[in-house]
Amino acid sequence: MKTSKNETNQVEPVVTGISSSGIRAERLVQTTKEVAIKDDVYLDLADLERLLKVSRRTLFNWRAKNILPLTEIGGKLYIRKSRLDAIIDGDPKMQKGGHHE
């Protein structure tokens, strides 16, 4: 079966898109592996929003007040779950039903 030049021009962007999607997926898997360093789970902002039931703005406010020490890895912000647990255990305001001043 012979393909025309027009068919080739239409197929090339699709193949390129699939190829670049594969590369992005590979980078995502690599980044995810790097984030789970030393058997400690790293939480990103989406995880924190869902877990703490707060807005992203609240997370950035806590970061600005040095309540939430986030670390930038690969352009994204993370916190180790063990570190978050220690912060919550030590600060009644971050506990559910905690007293707010």
Side-chain angles (χ1 to χ4, degrees):
M1 182 173 166
K2 189 174 181 182
T3 58
S4 70
K5 183 171 176 113
N6 188 30
E7 289 174 327
T8 302
N9 289 340
Q10 291 174 348
V11 172
E12 284 179 5
V14 172
V15 172
T16 302
I18 291 170
S19 175
S20 65
S21 293
I23 292 169
R24 284 192 299 263
E26 187 177 310
R27 285 186 191 146
L28 178 62
V29 168
Q30 180 181 0
T31 302
T32 303
K33 287 179 183 175
E34 292 171 357
V35 169
I37 299 169
K38 297 182 183 177
D39 297 327
D40 198 359
V41 176
Y42 281 69
L43 304 170
D44 65 8
L45 294 178
D47 295 329
L48 291 171
E49 287 177 274
R50 189 175 50 255
L51 183 67
L52 300 174
K53 295 183 174 100
V54 296
S55 69
R56 190 160 293 215
R57 182 71 250 161
T58 297
L59 294 174
F60 282 113
N61 286 339
W62 287 347
R63 183 179 187 218
K65 294 176 183 178
N66 294 320
I67 295 171
L68 196 63
L70 298 171
T71 302
E72 188 171 342
I73 302 172
K76 287 185 71 175
L77 295 171
Y78 296 92
I79 187 169
R80 286 189 343 254
K81 185 174 183 319
S82 59
R83 178 71 176 120
L84 178 64
D85 292 340
I87 292 168
I88 291 171
D89 290 342
D91 188 352
K93 288 186 272 184
M94 289 190 70
Q95 296 173 7
K96 186 173 181 177
H99 300 292
H100 300 277
E101 296 174 19

